PDB file of all heavy atoms in Angstrom:
ATOM      1  N   MET A  98       1.169   7.278  -8.280  1.00 93.00           N
ATOM      2  CA  MET A  98       2.593   6.829  -8.118  1.00 93.00           C
ATOM      3  C   MET A  98       2.639   5.318  -8.089  1.00 93.00           C
ATOM      4  O   MET A  98       3.470   4.673  -8.585  1.00 93.00           O
ATOM      5  CB  MET A  98       3.161   7.420  -6.829  1.00 93.00           C
ATOM      6  CG  MET A  98       4.597   6.921  -6.530  1.00 93.00           C
ATOM      7  SD  MET A  98       5.198   7.563  -4.935  1.00 93.00           S
ATOM      8  CE  MET A  98       4.021   6.881  -3.751  1.00 93.00           C
ATOM      9  N   ILE A  99       1.769   4.684  -7.322  1.00 94.00           N
ATOM     10  CA  ILE A  99       1.706   3.204  -7.151  1.00 94.00           C
ATOM     11  C   ILE A  99       1.449   2.533  -8.553  1.00 94.00           C
ATOM     12  O   ILE A  99       2.067   1.543  -8.913  1.00 94.00           O
ATOM     13  CB  ILE A  99       0.731   2.781  -6.113  1.00 94.00           C
ATOM     14  CG1 ILE A  99       1.244   3.147  -4.703  1.00 94.00           C
ATOM     15  CG2 ILE A  99       0.403   1.290  -6.165  1.00 94.00           C
ATOM     16  CD1 ILE A  99       0.275   2.959  -3.585  1.00 94.00           C
ATOM     17  N   GLN A 100       0.563   3.114  -9.199  1.00 94.00           N
ATOM     18  CA  GLN A 100       0.175   2.513 -10.534  1.00 94.00           C
ATOM     19  C   GLN A 100       1.232   2.749 -11.588  1.00 94.00           C
ATOM     20  O   GLN A 100       1.337   1.918 -12.548  1.00 94.00           O
ATOM     21  CB  GLN A 100      -1.161   3.062 -11.030  1.00 94.00           C
ATOM     22  CG  GLN A 100      -2.275   2.614 -10.217  1.00 94.00           C
ATOM     23  CD  GLN A 100      -3.698   3.237 -10.681  1.00 94.00           C
ATOM     24  OE1 GLN A 100      -3.665   4.342 -11.292  1.00 94.00           O
ATOM     25  NE2 GLN A 100      -4.745   2.598 -10.363  1.00 94.00           N
ATOM     26  N   ALA A 101       2.075   3.800 -11.424  1.00 94.00           N
ATOM     27  CA  ALA A 101       3.148   4.079 -12.404  1.00 94.00           C
ATOM     28  C   ALA A 101       4.363   3.192 -12.212  1.00 94.00           C
ATOM     29  O   ALA A 101       5.187   2.942 -13.102  1.00 94.00           O
ATOM     30  CB  ALA A 101       3.544   5.539 -12.322  1.00 94.00           C
ATOM     31  N   ALA A 102       4.530   2.597 -11.013  1.00 94.00           N
ATOM     32  CA  ALA A 102       5.633   1.769 -10.746  1.00 94.00           C
ATOM     33  C   ALA A 102       5.494   0.281 -11.169  1.00 94.00           C
ATOM     34  O   ALA A 102       4.372  -0.117 -11.459  1.00 94.00           O
ATOM     35  CB  ALA A 102       5.916   1.739  -9.147  1.00 94.00           C
ATOM     36  N   ASP A 103       6.584  -0.434 -11.242  1.00 93.00           N
ATOM     37  CA  ASP A 103       6.545  -1.803 -11.568  1.00 93.00           C
ATOM     38  C   ASP A 103       5.886  -2.570 -10.480  1.00 93.00           C
ATOM     39  O   ASP A 103       5.060  -3.532 -10.754  1.00 93.00           O
ATOM     40  CB  ASP A 103       7.988  -2.395 -11.822  1.00 93.00           C
ATOM     41  CG  ASP A 103       8.607  -1.784 -13.100  1.00 93.00           C
ATOM     42  OD1 ASP A 103       7.905  -1.765 -14.101  1.00 93.00           O
ATOM     43  OD2 ASP A 103       9.731  -1.253 -12.932  1.00 93.00           O
ATOM     44  N   VAL A 104       6.199  -2.265  -9.282  1.00 91.00           N
ATOM     45  CA  VAL A 104       5.666  -2.981  -8.022  1.00 91.00           C
ATOM     46  C   VAL A 104       5.055  -1.873  -7.153  1.00 91.00           C
ATOM     47  O   VAL A 104       5.829  -0.973  -6.817  1.00 91.00           O
ATOM     48  CB  VAL A 104       6.713  -3.797  -7.380  1.00 91.00           C
ATOM     49  CG1 VAL A 104       6.031  -4.482  -6.105  1.00 91.00           C
ATOM     50  CG2 VAL A 104       7.244  -4.844  -8.246  1.00 91.00           C
ATOM     51  N   GLY A 105       3.873  -1.949  -6.804  1.00 93.00           N
ATOM     52  CA  GLY A 105       3.249  -0.981  -5.958  1.00 93.00           C
ATOM     53  C   GLY A 105       2.807  -1.740  -4.558  1.00 93.00           C
ATOM     54  O   GLY A 105       2.220  -2.804  -4.610  1.00 93.00           O
ATOM     55  N   ILE A 106       3.116  -1.021  -3.568  1.00 94.00           N
ATOM     56  CA  ILE A 106       2.773  -1.587  -2.234  1.00 94.00           C
ATOM     57  C   ILE A 106       1.963  -0.553  -1.529  1.00 94.00           C
ATOM     58  O   ILE A 106       2.306   0.663  -1.341  1.00 94.00           O
ATOM     59  CB  ILE A 106       3.959  -1.908  -1.331  1.00 94.00           C
ATOM     60  CG1 ILE A 106       4.862  -2.871  -1.997  1.00 94.00           C
ATOM     61  CG2 ILE A 106       3.559  -2.221   0.097  1.00 94.00           C
ATOM     62  CD1 ILE A 106       6.177  -3.219  -1.305  1.00 94.00           C
ATOM     63  N   GLY A 107       0.745  -0.940  -1.102  1.00 93.00           N
ATOM     64  CA  GLY A 107      -0.218  -0.051  -0.378  1.00 93.00           C
ATOM     65  C   GLY A 107      -0.262  -0.386   1.112  1.00 93.00           C
ATOM     66  O   GLY A 107      -0.247  -1.542   1.508  1.00 93.00           O
ATOM     67  N   ILE A 108      -0.255   0.651   1.911  1.00 92.00           N
ATOM     68  CA  ILE A 108      -0.243   0.454   3.332  1.00 92.00           C
ATOM     69  C   ILE A 108      -1.592   0.914   3.805  1.00 92.00           C
ATOM     70  O   ILE A 108      -2.032   2.035   3.568  1.00 92.00           O
ATOM     71  CB  ILE A 108       0.847   1.374   4.079  1.00 92.00           C
ATOM     72  CG1 ILE A 108       2.214   0.890   3.491  1.00 92.00           C
ATOM     73  CG2 ILE A 108       0.766   1.130   5.547  1.00 92.00           C
ATOM     74  CD1 ILE A 108       3.343   1.775   4.038  1.00 92.00           C
ATOM     75  N   SER A 109      -2.379   0.044   4.450  1.00 88.00           N
ATOM     76  CA  SER A 109      -3.707   0.348   4.938  1.00 88.00           C
ATOM     77  C   SER A 109      -3.538   1.154   6.229  1.00 88.00           C
ATOM     78  O   SER A 109      -2.810   0.782   7.083  1.00 88.00           O
ATOM     79  CB  SER A 109      -4.574  -0.924   5.195  1.00 88.00           C
ATOM     80  OG  SER A 109      -3.923  -1.777   6.141  1.00 88.00           O
ATOM     81  N   GLY A 110      -4.146   2.152   6.274  1.00 75.00           N
ATOM     82  CA  GLY A 110      -4.070   3.066   7.459  1.00 75.00           C
ATOM     83  C   GLY A 110      -5.172   4.068   7.658  1.00 75.00           C
ATOM     84  O   GLY A 110      -6.297   3.829   7.207  1.00 75.00           O
ATOM     85  N   GLN A 111      -4.883   5.138   8.269  1.00 75.00           N
ATOM     86  CA  GLN A 111      -5.935   6.170   8.568  1.00 75.00           C
ATOM     87  C   GLN A 111      -6.432   6.928   7.403  1.00 75.00           C
ATOM     88  O   GLN A 111      -7.475   7.486   7.461  1.00 75.00           O
ATOM     89  CB  GLN A 111      -5.310   7.117   9.640  1.00 75.00           C
ATOM     90  CG  GLN A 111      -4.913   6.422  10.962  1.00 75.00           C
ATOM     91  CD  GLN A 111      -4.209   7.400  11.915  1.00 75.00           C
ATOM     92  OE1 GLN A 111      -3.796   8.453  11.507  1.00 75.00           O
ATOM     93  NE2 GLN A 111      -3.900   6.873  13.056  1.00 75.00           N
ATOM     94  N   GLU A 112      -5.654   6.936   6.298  1.00 74.00           N
ATOM     95  CA  GLU A 112      -6.013   7.781   5.140  1.00 74.00           C
ATOM     96  C   GLU A 112      -6.936   7.032   4.183  1.00 74.00           C
ATOM     97  O   GLU A 112      -7.352   7.480   3.264  1.00 74.00           O
ATOM     98  CB  GLU A 112      -4.737   8.200   4.463  1.00 74.00           C
ATOM     99  CG  GLU A 112      -3.956   9.157   5.191  1.00 74.00           C
ATOM    100  CD  GLU A 112      -2.889   9.783   4.366  1.00 74.00           C
ATOM    101  OE1 GLU A 112      -3.064   9.926   3.054  1.00 74.00           O
ATOM    102  OE2 GLU A 112      -1.817  10.144   4.840  1.00 74.00           O
ATOM    103  N   GLY A 113      -7.290   5.761   4.604  1.00 74.00           N
ATOM    104  CA  GLY A 113      -8.249   5.017   3.669  1.00 74.00           C
ATOM    105  C   GLY A 113      -7.585   3.766   3.008  1.00 74.00           C
ATOM    106  O   GLY A 113      -6.444   3.562   3.358  1.00 74.00           O
ATOM    107  N   MET A 114      -8.352   3.271   2.080  1.00 85.00           N
ATOM    108  CA  MET A 114      -7.901   2.013   1.408  1.00 85.00           C
ATOM    109  C   MET A 114      -7.613   2.206   0.014  1.00 85.00           C
ATOM    110  O   MET A 114      -7.470   1.273  -0.785  1.00 85.00           O
ATOM    111  CB  MET A 114      -8.993   0.946   1.605  1.00 85.00           C
ATOM    112  CG  MET A 114      -9.307   0.511   3.073  1.00 85.00           C
ATOM    113  SD  MET A 114      -7.887  -0.277   3.790  1.00 85.00           S
ATOM    114  CE  MET A 114      -8.025  -1.849   3.061  1.00 85.00           C
ATOM    115  N   GLN A 115      -7.633   3.468  -0.539  1.00 88.00           N
ATOM    116  CA  GLN A 115      -7.351   3.734  -2.019  1.00 88.00           C
ATOM    117  C   GLN A 115      -6.078   3.155  -2.458  1.00 88.00           C
ATOM    118  O   GLN A 115      -5.899   2.563  -3.487  1.00 88.00           O
ATOM    119  CB  GLN A 115      -7.535   5.189  -2.335  1.00 88.00           C
ATOM    120  CG  GLN A 115      -8.895   5.647  -2.157  1.00 88.00           C
ATOM    121  CD  GLN A 115      -9.234   6.236  -0.893  1.00 88.00           C
ATOM    122  OE1 GLN A 115      -8.546   6.105   0.109  1.00 88.00           O
ATOM    123  NE2 GLN A 115     -10.406   6.801  -0.723  1.00 88.00           N
ATOM    124  N   ALA A 116      -5.019   3.388  -1.677  1.00 89.00           N
ATOM    125  CA  ALA A 116      -3.673   2.965  -2.016  1.00 89.00           C
ATOM    126  C   ALA A 116      -3.612   1.369  -1.982  1.00 89.00           C
ATOM    127  O   ALA A 116      -3.005   0.822  -2.925  1.00 89.00           O
ATOM    128  CB  ALA A 116      -2.609   3.510  -1.051  1.00 89.00           C
ATOM    129  N   VAL A 117      -4.289   0.761  -1.094  1.00 91.00           N
ATOM    130  CA  VAL A 117      -4.334  -0.681  -1.023  1.00 91.00           C
ATOM    131  C   VAL A 117      -4.963  -1.259  -2.199  1.00 91.00           C
ATOM    132  O   VAL A 117      -4.566  -2.284  -2.839  1.00 91.00           O
ATOM    133  CB  VAL A 117      -4.956  -1.122   0.280  1.00 91.00           C
ATOM    134  CG1 VAL A 117      -5.155  -2.619   0.315  1.00 91.00           C
ATOM    135  CG2 VAL A 117      -4.049  -0.711   1.455  1.00 91.00           C
ATOM    136  N   MET A 118      -6.077  -0.636  -2.665  1.00 92.00           N
ATOM    137  CA  MET A 118      -6.854  -1.195  -3.774  1.00 92.00           C
ATOM    138  C   MET A 118      -6.139  -1.017  -5.031  1.00 92.00           C
ATOM    139  O   MET A 118      -6.355  -1.782  -5.958  1.00 92.00           O
ATOM    140  CB  MET A 118      -8.273  -0.532  -3.846  1.00 92.00           C
ATOM    141  CG  MET A 118      -9.178  -0.987  -2.702  1.00 92.00           C
ATOM    142  SD  MET A 118     -10.838  -0.344  -2.787  1.00 92.00           S
ATOM    143  CE  MET A 118     -10.628   1.370  -2.730  1.00 92.00           C
ATOM    144  N   ALA A 119      -5.239   0.005  -5.142  1.00 91.00           N
ATOM    145  CA  ALA A 119      -4.544   0.182  -6.424  1.00 91.00           C
ATOM    146  C   ALA A 119      -3.162  -0.518  -6.476  1.00 91.00           C
ATOM    147  O   ALA A 119      -2.518  -0.482  -7.476  1.00 91.00           O
ATOM    148  CB  ALA A 119      -4.308   1.749  -6.574  1.00 91.00           C
ATOM    149  N   SER A 120      -2.770  -1.185  -5.359  1.00 92.00           N
ATOM    150  CA  SER A 120      -1.445  -1.699  -5.282  1.00 92.00           C
ATOM    151  C   SER A 120      -1.416  -3.185  -5.652  1.00 92.00           C
ATOM    152  O   SER A 120      -2.421  -3.855  -5.772  1.00 92.00           O
ATOM    153  CB  SER A 120      -0.907  -1.617  -3.878  1.00 92.00           C
ATOM    154  OG  SER A 120      -1.679  -2.283  -2.952  1.00 92.00           O
ATOM    155  N   ASP A 121      -0.216  -3.672  -5.894  1.00 92.00           N
ATOM    156  CA  ASP A 121       0.006  -5.129  -6.125  1.00 92.00           C
ATOM    157  C   ASP A 121       0.099  -5.895  -4.859  1.00 92.00           C
ATOM    158  O   ASP A 121      -0.401  -7.077  -4.762  1.00 92.00           O
ATOM    159  CB  ASP A 121       1.446  -5.315  -6.894  1.00 92.00           C
ATOM    160  CG  ASP A 121       1.375  -4.618  -8.210  1.00 92.00           C
ATOM    161  OD1 ASP A 121       0.392  -4.728  -8.892  1.00 92.00           O
ATOM    162  OD2 ASP A 121       2.436  -3.900  -8.469  1.00 92.00           O
ATOM    163  N   PHE A 122       0.615  -5.333  -3.807  1.00 91.00           N
ATOM    164  CA  PHE A 122       0.744  -5.952  -2.492  1.00 91.00           C
ATOM    165  C   PHE A 122       0.227  -4.903  -1.424  1.00 91.00           C
ATOM    166  O   PHE A 122       0.369  -3.697  -1.546  1.00 91.00           O
ATOM    167  CB  PHE A 122       2.162  -6.380  -2.155  1.00 91.00           C
ATOM    168  CG  PHE A 122       2.735  -7.286  -3.053  1.00 91.00           C
ATOM    169  CD1 PHE A 122       3.538  -6.958  -4.130  1.00 91.00           C
ATOM    170  CD2 PHE A 122       2.496  -8.688  -2.980  1.00 91.00           C
ATOM    171  CE1 PHE A 122       4.095  -7.783  -4.992  1.00 91.00           C
ATOM    172  CE2 PHE A 122       2.990  -9.580  -3.879  1.00 91.00           C
ATOM    173  CZ  PHE A 122       3.835  -9.101  -4.857  1.00 91.00           C
ATOM    174  N   ALA A 123      -0.375  -5.483  -0.393  1.00 92.00           N
ATOM    175  CA  ALA A 123      -0.874  -4.600   0.719  1.00 92.00           C
ATOM    176  C   ALA A 123      -0.295  -5.140   2.040  1.00 92.00           C
ATOM    177  O   ALA A 123      -0.157  -6.335   2.260  1.00 92.00           O
ATOM    178  CB  ALA A 123      -2.392  -4.665   0.742  1.00 92.00           C
ATOM    179  N   ILE A 124       0.111  -4.199   2.849  1.00 92.00           N
ATOM    180  CA  ILE A 124       0.605  -4.465   4.196  1.00 92.00           C
ATOM    181  C   ILE A 124      -0.130  -3.587   5.198  1.00 92.00           C
ATOM    182  O   ILE A 124      -0.638  -2.494   4.749  1.00 92.00           O
ATOM    183  CB  ILE A 124       2.138  -4.356   4.328  1.00 92.00           C
ATOM    184  CG1 ILE A 124       2.560  -2.952   3.863  1.00 92.00           C
ATOM    185  CG2 ILE A 124       2.819  -5.433   3.450  1.00 92.00           C
ATOM    186  CD1 ILE A 124       4.057  -2.713   4.056  1.00 92.00           C
ATOM    187  N   SER A 125      -0.171  -3.936   6.426  1.00 89.00           N
ATOM    188  CA  SER A 125      -0.963  -3.224   7.386  1.00 89.00           C
ATOM    189  C   SER A 125      -0.136  -2.109   7.985  1.00 89.00           C
ATOM    190  O   SER A 125      -0.624  -1.086   8.378  1.00 89.00           O
ATOM    191  CB  SER A 125      -1.480  -4.047   8.517  1.00 89.00           C
ATOM    192  OG  SER A 125      -0.473  -4.762   9.213  1.00 89.00           O
ATOM    193  N   ARG A 126       1.219  -2.382   8.167  1.00 89.00           N
ATOM    194  CA  ARG A 126       2.148  -1.398   8.778  1.00 89.00           C
ATOM    195  C   ARG A 126       3.447  -1.300   7.898  1.00 89.00           C
ATOM    196  O   ARG A 126       3.857  -2.343   7.238  1.00 89.00           O
ATOM    197  CB  ARG A 126       2.461  -1.723  10.175  1.00 89.00           C
ATOM    198  CG  ARG A 126       1.273  -1.819  11.127  1.00 89.00           C
ATOM    199  CD  ARG A 126       1.673  -1.576  12.542  1.00 89.00           C
ATOM    200  NE  ARG A 126       0.600  -1.858  13.512  1.00 89.00           N
ATOM    201  CZ  ARG A 126      -0.446  -1.023  13.700  1.00 89.00           C
ATOM    202  NH1 ARG A 126      -0.562   0.009  12.847  1.00 89.00           N
ATOM    203  NH2 ARG A 126      -1.353  -1.317  14.572  1.00 89.00           N
ATOM    204  N   PHE A 127       4.108  -0.200   7.926  1.00 87.00           N
ATOM    205  CA  PHE A 127       5.280  -0.056   7.272  1.00 87.00           C
ATOM    206  C   PHE A 127       6.377  -1.011   7.702  1.00 87.00           C
ATOM    207  O   PHE A 127       7.279  -1.401   7.014  1.00 87.00           O
ATOM    208  CB  PHE A 127       5.829   1.410   7.447  1.00 87.00           C
ATOM    209  CG  PHE A 127       6.881   1.827   6.501  1.00 87.00           C
ATOM    210  CD1 PHE A 127       6.544   2.079   5.129  1.00 87.00           C
ATOM    211  CD2 PHE A 127       8.214   1.796   6.828  1.00 87.00           C
ATOM    212  CE1 PHE A 127       7.499   2.432   4.266  1.00 87.00           C
ATOM    213  CE2 PHE A 127       9.181   2.166   5.889  1.00 87.00           C
ATOM    214  CZ  PHE A 127       8.854   2.462   4.578  1.00 87.00           C
ATOM    215  N   LYS A 128       6.324  -1.410   9.010  1.00 89.00           N
ATOM    216  CA  LYS A 128       7.370  -2.337   9.534  1.00 89.00           C
ATOM    217  C   LYS A 128       7.328  -3.696   8.895  1.00 89.00           C
ATOM    218  O   LYS A 128       8.293  -4.414   8.939  1.00 89.00           O
ATOM    219  CB  LYS A 128       7.216  -2.482  11.019  1.00 89.00           C
ATOM    220  CG  LYS A 128       5.990  -3.173  11.466  1.00 89.00           C
ATOM    221  CD  LYS A 128       5.953  -3.314  12.993  1.00 89.00           C
ATOM    222  CE  LYS A 128       4.780  -4.018  13.477  1.00 89.00           C
ATOM    223  NZ  LYS A 128       4.715  -4.266  14.889  1.00 89.00           N
ATOM    224  N   HIS A 129       6.198  -4.086   8.219  1.00 91.00           N
ATOM    225  CA  HIS A 129       6.068  -5.380   7.626  1.00 91.00           C
ATOM    226  C   HIS A 129       6.718  -5.373   6.094  1.00 91.00           C
ATOM    227  O   HIS A 129       6.759  -6.444   5.517  1.00 91.00           O
ATOM    228  CB  HIS A 129       4.608  -5.713   7.446  1.00 91.00           C
ATOM    229  CG  HIS A 129       3.856  -5.856   8.733  1.00 91.00           C
ATOM    230  ND1 HIS A 129       4.369  -6.738   9.719  1.00 91.00           N
ATOM    231  CD2 HIS A 129       2.831  -5.258   9.181  1.00 91.00           C
ATOM    232  CE1 HIS A 129       3.445  -6.640  10.765  1.00 91.00           C
ATOM    233  NE2 HIS A 129       2.568  -5.681  10.485  1.00 91.00           N
TER     234      HIS A 129
END
């Protein structure tokens, strides 16, 4: 889903770093 979008944001968390590595931007928490 992140790769299909124009802009992808990955949240680093308990589920690992795969979303962060595939995203354009990475944040540590959703509040950011």
Side-chain angles (χ1 to χ4, degrees):
M98 173 185 66
I99 289 172
Q100 290 176 337
D103 292 309
V104 179
I106 298 176
I108 301 173
S109 60
Q111 297 173 352
E112 293 190 31
M114 298 293 286
Q115 289 89 356
V117 170
M118 291 188 296
S120 65
D121 299 315
F122 299 98
I124 55 178
S125 60
R126 300 205 189 287
F127 195 77
K128 68 179 182 176
H129 299 304

